[in-house]
Amino acid sequence: MKSLKFKLSLVTNVIAIIALVILGVVGFLFTKNALFKTIENTEINAIKVAKTDMEDFRAKNLSSLQKLSKDILSLPLEKINSQEALMANIGDMFKSYKHSSNLLAVYIGLANGSNVVSDIESEKNGKSLRINGKNNGYDATTREWYQGARNTNSVYVQPYYVDPVSNETIFTYSKALYKDGQFIGVLAIDVSLKMLQKTFESKPGNAFLIDKNKDIFVASNPSEMNSGFQNTSLLLENLKQYGEFQPFLIEAGGVENLGMCSPVLNYTACITEPTDKIYQSINKIALIQIILVLTIVILSTILMYFIVSRYLSPLTTIQSGLNAFFDFINHKTKNVSTINIKTN
C-alpha cells in the first residue's frame, strides 16, 4: 500500500511539475518579450524628448531674435540707420535681451564690416555696447552668420562652433534687418551650447545628438562625448536601413547595445542601451520564476502525498480486514471482525 501511495503521489506530481514548467517557460517568454517592448517604448519616448528639447531650444532662440528685430525696427529710421545712431539708441535694449534670454552676445553686423556688440567684453568695460571692427582686424561681412542672413529672407542658423571671445561652443542665429527698404545690418545672437546640454543632462536615458560631421555634440551622459563614440556612422546607417524609432543592435566598445535613432532638424537624435543590462533584468525574472516553480513543486509534492494517503486509507482498512478473514479461514486465527468503512 505504501508503494501505491508513493506511485500515485509521484505520478500526480510529475504531471504537476510538467504543467508548472510549461507554464513557467511560456510565462518567461511573454515576460521577456514584454520587457523588450517596454524598453523599446522607453527608448522611443527618450528620443522624442530629445527631439522636443532640440526643437524647443531652437524655437526659443528664434523667438528671441524675432522679438529683438521687431523692437529694433520699431524705432525711427534715423535712430538705427548708422553706426553712431545704433550706439546711441540700442545699448539698453541689447543688454536687456542678453540677460533675459541667457545670451552670450547680441550684435549687429554693418555693411562697413563693423560690429555693434553687447557681450562679456563690453560688460568688462562697464558699457552696454562696443565696436568690433577693422581696427581690431575684424570684418563682419566675411563671416558665415552675416553672409548666410544676407542671402536668405529668413533666419540663418550657423552650426555650432567655438566662440573666440567667450571660448564657449555656441550657435549663432542671424537675420538681415531692413527698414523702409534700407539695409540696416545683420542682427545676430550667440547662444551657448551649455544651455542645451543642461537640458539633456536633466533627462533620464542615454540620448544624444549627432551633427552632420557625425560627431556627438550634446548627450544626456557627457561621457559619450568625452569617450568619442566610434560607431556614429553605423548608427546613421542603421537609421537609414530600419527607419526612425526602429530598434537595432550595435556594438560599441566591445559591448552590444540596443540602439534607435530619429532625424531632428539638421541633426540626428539617437539612444543606446547596453543589452547586458536588459539581460540582467531578464535573468533576474527567470531566477525568480525558477525559485517559485521549485517551491510550488516541493509544497505540492508534500501536499499530494498526504492527500493520497488520506484517500487511500480505506483501502488499507479493507486490506487488513481481508487478511484477517483469510487467516480465520486458514485456521491461523480463531476470531474475525467486520470491516468498517465510513466512506464511499
Side-chain angles (χ1 to χ4, degrees):
M1 189 57 64
K2 289 183 178 180
S3 175
L4 180 61
K5 292 179 183 179
F6 177 77
K7 289 178 180 178
L8 285 174
S9 298
L10 181 62
V11 169
T12 53
N13 279 290
V14 166
I15 295 172
I17 290 169
I18 293 173
L20 287 170
V21 168
I22 294 173
L23 183 62
V25 170
V26 172
F28 172 73
L29 292 176
F30 274 106
T31 303
K32 179 182 176 181
N33 293 334
L35 182 59
F36 266 101
K37 192 64 181 176
T38 300
I39 292 171
E40 286 179 15
N41 291 335
T42 301
E43 291 197 344
I44 289 174
N45 291 334
I47 291 182
K48 287 182 177 179
V49 169
K51 292 180 67 172
T52 301
D53 288 340
M54 183 64 204
E55 291 165 350
D56 288 348
F57 177 78
R58 183 187 180 98
K60 177 185 175 184
N61 297 322
L62 290 176
S63 176
S64 295
L65 183 67
Q66 297 286 17
K67 288 178 181 177
L68 179 55
S69 66
K70 185 177 179 181
D71 287 346
I72 292 172
L73 295 177
S74 68
L75 297 173
L77 181 61
E78 62 272 14
K79 290 189 176 184
I80 56 174
N81 62 355
S82 68
Q83 179 175 307
E84 293 73 19
L86 288 168
M87 289 292 292
N89 295 294
I90 64 171
D92 291 339
M93 186 187 299
F94 273 22
K95 186 176 181 180
S96 173
Y97 266 91
K98 183 164 66 71
H99 289 292
S100 63
S101 300
N102 292 316
L103 306 174
L104 281 178
V106 182
Y107 44 96
I108 292 183
L110 306 178
N112 63 9
S114 295
N115 229 5
V116 179
V117 190
S118 176
D119 61 2
I120 9 180
E121 290 295 324
S122 62
E123 287 189 358
K124 285 180 182 177
N125 298 327
K127 297 180 179 179
S128 298
L129 298 171
R130 69 182 179 94
I131 297 293
N132 189 22
K134 293 181 179 179
N135 292 337
N136 302 327
Y138 181 87
D139 186 353
T141 61
T142 64
R143 302 299 168 127
E144 180 181 343
W145 57 268
Y146 184 96
Q147 295 176 352
R150 287 300 304 265
N151 294 330
T152 181
N153 292 324
S154 58
V155 175
Y156 179 78
V157 183
Q158 182 175 348
Y160 69 94
Y161 62 97
V162 178
D163 175 39
V165 178
S166 63
N167 290 321
E168 288 196 32
T169 304
I170 63 171
F171 284 96
T172 295
Y173 297 77
S174 56
K175 179 183 180 181
L177 299 182
Y178 296 88
K179 187 173 177 69
D180 299 336
Q182 180 178 335
F183 174 67
I184 304 300
V186 174
L187 174 66
I189 59 174
D190 289 344
V191 186
S192 175
L193 191 63
K194 286 181 179 178
M195 304 300 296
L196 184 60
Q197 177 61 34
K198 287 180 180 178
T199 303
F200 265 63
E201 289 180 18
S202 66
K203 304 295 172 60
N206 188 35
F208 47 88
L209 294 178
I210 303 173
D211 64 13
K212 61 181 181 181
N213 297 320
K214 302 179 181 178
D215 294 323
I216 296 175
F217 64 98
V218 176
S220 302
N221 183 3
S223 63
E224 290 289 351
M225 295 183 291
N226 298 332
S227 63
F229 191 82
Q230 298 299 315
N231 284 350
T232 53
S233 297
L234 195 54
L235 283 168
L236 299 178
E237 289 173 11
N238 279 305
L239 170 62
K240 187 176 181 181
Q241 180 179 352
Y242 295 100
E244 65 174 338
F245 301 127
Q246 296 301 314
F248 51 80
L249 294 176
I250 180 173
E251 186 175 316
V255 178
E256 187 181 61
N257 285 259
L258 180 66
M260 194 179 292
C261 294
S262 176
V264 51
L265 301 175
N266 297 322
Y267 309 103
T268 304
C270 292
I271 188 170
T272 58
E273 185 72 30
T275 53
D276 58 350
K277 291 185 179 178
I278 302 173
Y279 291 137
Q280 281 177 4
S281 300
I282 293 174
N283 292 337
K284 185 177 179 181
I285 292 172
L287 180 61
I288 292 173
Q289 288 185 333
I290 290 171
I291 293 173
L292 185 61
V293 168
L294 289 176
T295 303
I296 293 174
V297 166
I298 293 171
L299 292 176
S300 65
T301 300
I302 297 171
L303 183 61
M304 281 294 180
Y305 181 80
F306 282 108
I307 290 175
V308 169
S309 297
R310 174 181 174 81
Y311 281 97
L312 289 182
S313 58
L315 294 180
T316 304
T317 303
I318 293 172
Q319 183 185 36
S320 299
L322 288 175
N323 287 336
F325 174 72
F326 285 111
D327 286 343
F328 173 78
I329 291 176
N330 293 323
H331 305 289
K332 292 182 180 181
T333 61
K334 295 181 179 181
N335 298 316
V336 68
S337 59
T338 58
I339 300 174
N340 296 316
I341 300 297
K342 297 181 180 180
T343 175
N344 292 324

